Amino acid sequence: MYPTLTLAPGRQKRLSTGHPWVYATEIASVDPRIEPGSIVDVVDFRGRFIGRGYYNPRSQIAVRLLTRKDETIDREFFRQKLLYCLKHRQKVMPEATSYRLVFGEADFLPGLIIDKFEDYLVMQVLTLGMEKQKQLLTELLVELLQPRAIYERNDVNVRELEGLAQVKGVLYGEFQPEVIIKENGLSFLVDMENGQKTGYFLDQKENRAAIAPYVKDRIVLDCFCHTGSFTVHAAHYGARSVLALDISEHAIATARRNASLNGLENSCSFQVGNAFDVLREMDREKRRFDVIILDPPAFTKSKQTLEGAVRGYKEINLRAMKLLPPSGILITCSCSYHMQEDLFLEVIESAALDVGRQVRLLELRRQSKDHPILLAAKETYYLKFLILEIL
């Protein structure tokens, strides 16, 4: 039914363990009928069926598998996939009204991200194979969820590797760029049109709730605060005061709005600045905080820049440790897949050694349940969240 792509000898092992990617260097031959973005059968060098997915000769990841069964890839196939994603979120996050509905490879829909913000959906299509299904996916989402609008945030560089243009715009319905969502009983303004990624970082939902016992009656510094999600949670959970710091004036303006939205503006103050520079200046001024939160953007998106990222993570955590009294709490994150868990812990330990401190690990957490981790695809585990006591 589908044209065939054959793997080179010995190149099926990773796929047989459950990983969904076929790299261009692993291919022995390609049926000449295969068009970019179309569905193909992947077979090993003996002709044995491995799986079915979509193909793009322009990409280093030439095939992304959609299924390992001999089944038709049609409207009903995608409907069942989306329905599975929806039922899974309703099961693991029954109270949530905003969540990641589809998380790419971990939901067996590689190259597709869909975030639900109350009655709105934001779709990110990262690959040519999914781009060819975009209209169908839009129709199915309307059928299954009846959203007020669907907006595409396909303004990401990775699309260019697939031969796709960067675009954003309304796919369905009456769209307004901002929406107020509920998270852990708090309200947050989400800019779906111009905010980072799809507008809000849903992957920290459970981690934000986890800070409650550590911030009550404490003086808190929230670095890289973005739109103030940790800031607002800390204030809500009883922090004596919270200083929110971010390099972006727009982010700080939104953080102020979020604090006011929850009636917490009197507990929060805000500062625009580079966290590395500000922490260094605070140390010179001998300022101290009971709790410091570090939630920086990814310092690396490739192996090639990992060494520089290690230096960056070490520096910012070292600076934070200097501002904490004995038994102060450091809440620190890495959202880079390449900064793997063991390495991140080593970086923290190295920073502590340099400032003569000991560290106790109180909690090691990961991304929220609407961002599932597929063990066969290590790339789906990216967020490390540590709660540490600095002795």
Side-chain angles (χ1 to χ4, degrees):
M1 183 189 305
Y2 296 101
T4 300
L5 180 150
T6 304
L7 298 179
R11 293 305 184 99
Q12 73 279 5
K13 182 177 180 181
R14 181 172 39 78
L15 286 167
S16 66
T17 64
H19 201 285
W21 294 349
V22 177
Y23 289 98
T25 54
E26 297 172 329
I27 298 172
S29 63
V30 178
D31 187 314
R33 296 175 297 163
I34 299 176
E35 296 182 1
S38 63
I39 304 297
V40 300
D41 281 349
V42 176
V43 301
D44 68 12
F45 68 101
R46 292 192 176 94
R48 292 177 297 195
F49 179 79
I50 293 176
R52 186 164 289 160
Y54 57 77
Y55 171 70
N56 186 358
R58 286 193 55 157
S59 175
Q60 183 183 359
I61 303 171
V63 180
R64 299 174 195 251
L65 294 183
L66 291 164
T67 182
R68 294 172 185 274
K69 300 176 182 178
D70 182 10
E71 58 184 324
T72 304
I73 309 298
D74 57 8
R75 180 187 181 90
E76 184 59 20
F77 173 87
F78 284 107
R79 183 181 181 277
Q80 290 300 321
K81 290 282 188 182
L82 291 174
L83 189 59
Y84 172 83
C85 291
L86 178 60
K87 289 181 176 179
H88 178 72
R89 271 62 180 183
Q90 291 171 340
K91 178 174 64 177
V92 301
M93 306 179 79
E95 304 300 320
T97 53
S98 295
Y99 47 79
R100 176 150 292 184
L101 174 64
V102 177
F103 183 44
E105 279 74 356
D107 281 311
F108 311 105
L109 287 168
L112 180 65
I113 301 294
I114 301 173
D115 282 344
K116 179 180 181 293
F117 297 117
E118 302 301 321
D119 296 331
Y120 293 87
L121 298 176
V122 179
M123 185 191 302
Q124 206 166 62
V125 179
L126 305 176
T127 57
L128 176 61
M130 279 297 171
E131 180 73 18
K132 287 182 172 291
Q133 307 295 334
K134 186 168 69 176
Q135 181 58 41
L136 172 59
L137 291 167
T138 300
E139 293 172 5
L140 289 171
L141 289 168
V142 172
E143 176 185 320
L144 293 172
L145 285 99
Q146 298 86 48
R148 185 172 297 181
I150 302 175
Y151 191 77
E152 65 173 324
R153 282 296 304 270
N154 291 326
D155 50 340
V156 285
N157 294 335
V158 69
R159 279 173 59 92
E160 296 179 5
L161 300 176
E162 292 272 324
L164 297 169
Q166 294 191 41
V167 294
K168 61 180 184 177
V170 179
L171 296 174
Y172 165 82
E174 297 182 7
F175 177 72
Q176 60 181 27
E178 294 183 344
V179 63
I180 294 174
I181 70 168
K182 286 289 186 180
E183 180 180 274
N184 300 319
L186 296 165
S187 298
F188 292 94
L189 183 72
V190 176
D191 182 350
M192 297 176 288
E193 185 174 29
N194 296 308
Q196 289 188 31
K197 303 289 186 177
T198 61
Y200 186 79
F201 296 108
L202 294 162
D203 53 4
Q204 292 274 29
K205 172 186 169 66
E206 292 156 3
N207 296 332
R208 293 180 189 118
I211 72 172
Y214 305 101
V215 299
K216 184 173 175 57
D217 298 323
R218 304 291 184 89
I219 299 171
V220 179
L221 172 62
D222 180 12
C223 300
F224 310 97
C225 74
H226 192 227
T227 57
S229 51
F230 276 108
T231 300
V232 170
H233 277 81
H236 173 70
Y237 293 137
R240 197 185 319 167
S241 67
V242 188
L243 172 58
L245 172 66
D246 200 277
I247 199 169
S248 164
E249 292 186 7
H250 182 266
I252 287 291
T254 306
R256 287 182 188 275
R257 293 174 68 185
N258 281 329
S260 297
L261 200 58
N262 292 279
L264 296 166
E265 61 271 28
N266 292 336
S267 303
C268 305
S269 57
F270 303 87
Q271 181 176 345
V272 176
N274 182 306
F276 288 89
D277 298 335
V278 172
L279 293 189
R280 193 177 294 112
E281 181 62 27
M282 285 178 170
D283 184 39
R284 284 195 291 266
E285 296 171 353
K286 301 195 181 304
R287 294 185 65 178
R288 295 294 180 264
F289 299 87
D290 301 313
V291 180
I292 297 179
I293 301 169
L294 300 176
D295 186 18
F299 288 164
T300 179
K301 295 184 179 180
S302 69
K303 287 183 179 179
Q304 290 71 29
T305 58
L306 182 57
E307 185 177 340
V310 167
R311 290 195 298 270
Y313 282 113
K314 180 177 178 178
E315 172 72 10
I316 197 65
N317 282 279
L318 181 153
R319 292 292 167 193
M321 289 178 191
K322 287 188 170 186
L323 302 181
L324 289 167
S327 293
I329 299 295
L330 176 59
I331 299 170
T332 185
C333 316
S334 169
C335 61
S336 171
Y337 155 70
H338 296 284
M339 176 58 67
Q340 296 188 359
E341 185 178 291
D342 288 348
L343 179 57
F344 191 40
L345 290 168
E346 288 176 16
V347 168
I348 299 301
E349 187 177 5
S350 178
L353 182 64
D354 281 6
V355 294
R357 306 290 291 270
Q358 290 271 18
V359 179
R360 290 206 301 178
L361 176 61
L362 304 181
E363 295 192 41
L364 195 164
R365 304 177 60 87
R366 298 173 178 87
Q367 61 231 43
S368 59
K369 292 188 286 289
D370 54 345
H371 293 64
I373 297 170
L374 184 65
L375 292 184
K378 306 302 183 186
E379 296 84 355
T380 60
Y381 170 32
Y382 67 96
L383 180 62
K384 281 70 62 178
F385 182 91
L386 312 180
I387 302 179
L388 309 168
E389 183 183 18
I390 310 301
L391 303 171

